[in-house]
Amino acid sequence: MNLWNKLMCYSRRRSPWLFHMNGGSCNGCDIELVASLSPRYDAEQLGVRLEGSPRHADILCITGPITHNAVNAIKTVYDQVLGPKAVVAIGSCPATTNVFIDSRTLAGPLTKHIPVDVFVPGCPPRPDAIIQGVAMAAGILAERAAKKQPIAPVVMPLVGPGCSGACGCGGGTCSTPSSDAASEVQQ
Amino acid sequence: MNMTTALARLLIFPGLLFAVPAAWFFLWVERKAVAMMQGRIGPPFMQPFYDFIKLLGKGTPPRSGIGGMLMRAWPLIAVASAAGAVGLLPVLPSSGGFQGDLILLLALMELPSMCIIAAGFSSRSIFGEIGSAREAVLSVSYNIVFLLAIVSIAASQHTFSLEALAQLPASPLRVLGILALLVCLPAKLHLNPFSLPNAEQEIYSGPMTEYAGPELAMWELSHGLEWVAATGLVATLAAPVITTWWLAALVFVALSFGIVLLLSVVASATARLQIDTTVRFYWQCTLIFAVLAVASALFMRFRS
Ligand code: SF4
């Protein structure tokens, strides 16, 4: 890799601009995404910026279980984001449709419609998990653009109180995709 | 001004070689100041540079026809004119200049906002059009004050040469003029409380909505160069007369930095005003400023 490519790769990792899209979410995840930009978590230290237009964005953050209404919008916005790009599915909803499973208003999960790079589980995930997911997505994006090979999606372990991480926990408040759902998504 | 000094000023100092890093630095200072006012740590020092490089490596949407060509041209025209404006600033003592360069400077500083208006309309996005309409209304209202303030300082001295203006002794008229310019700067640079054209919570990214990749990088750069040109103009008017060249450059940079800091702090401490409130503010309150400045300019002219 020559110097320019190295600089480009580094810059891509250091400047992920987000576009946030709501695919029928209950609003829990959206609030956590905004919280990750707030003074306490301050994602701007990693160069993260929430952009108003999908044309400016590198990373598409999608929340919610993908309702029928949202599908076309999500596909359009995905095409409007210019490459190299990455998709982060925030919360358990876009991964598995979560508590809304089997609802007839849903067309989820998200992987049926667009490729996803990072799953951030949790209902809702903590802001630090979202920041970590975005940072991982930025790394994936830079690497993929440099090497031009596909990279398998990442399912982050659940971070939070009372959870071991390898989540099959059924621990009441925790509703991450169970480990087999996660591996199903990964395939 | 001969060819060599003109090129040196355009390309080296205070032109591109100085202005581009300064533009990135000012963009960083703006973001960092806002972050610190909000109790955050904020972006790292090199952030605007990383953003610029990253945007250069992104794709652009396909554009066709005359509209597409125009859309590609606007950001380049904006960057070129903003860089030209920075190059005209009389930073170094006896760096040469010509009679009437003030008028050229004002025209070049106005071009980027014209380009923004045109870009929004030629993008044919509804958000772009609203943003452009707002920018047009805003520029009509602040420009009267902006131009009257500068013209009154110039008229009191019978000159349109920047070099002569920069060497004026401090006078109440100059203080008044600089204050009027400072009031206009937030609107010129799209900062709170007058950040109407790019009001991101209301109309996405305004005129920039359809731009991506290298074109967006050029817009960011032209915005940064506008920062340098606008704060530099105020800094050259406010700076005392210094004959040592390095001291003059240092004072210029320090004054510009101070103005950037002031504007960013004001921006983070205020919320966006409505368009009619903004227009009323400029027409009613600051027009008084401008009328005062013109009156005292005429007074000084007749007395001298
Ligand atoms: S994952 Fe939980 S918090 Fe997030 S949208 Fe779904 S139900 Fe709401």
Side-chain angles (χ1 to χ4, degrees), chain A residues 37-61:
Chain A
L37 298 163
S38 66
R40 180 176 276 273
Y41 297 97
D42 193 18
E44 203 183 5
Q45 285 176 52
L46 299 176
V48 172
R49 225 164 92 168
L50 199 59
E51 279 296 321
S53 160
R55 292 280 192 219
H56 302 184
D58 306 292
I59 295 178
L60 190 57
C61 291

Side-chain angles (χ1 to χ4, degrees), chain B residues 187-228:
Chain B
K188 207 165 181 54
L189 298 169
H190 307 155
L191 295 174
N192 269 349
F194 309 121
S195 61
L196 286 154
N198 54 352
E200 59 289 310
Q201 292 86 357
E202 302 166 21
I203 50 170
Y204 295 130
S205 309
M208 306 293 115
T209 303
E210 278 298 318
Y211 278 95
E215 294 163 356
L216 188 62
M218 289 300 135
W219 280 123
E220 293 266 316
L221 186 61
S222 91
H223 184 55
L225 289 174
E226 266 187 286
W227 267 101
V228 182

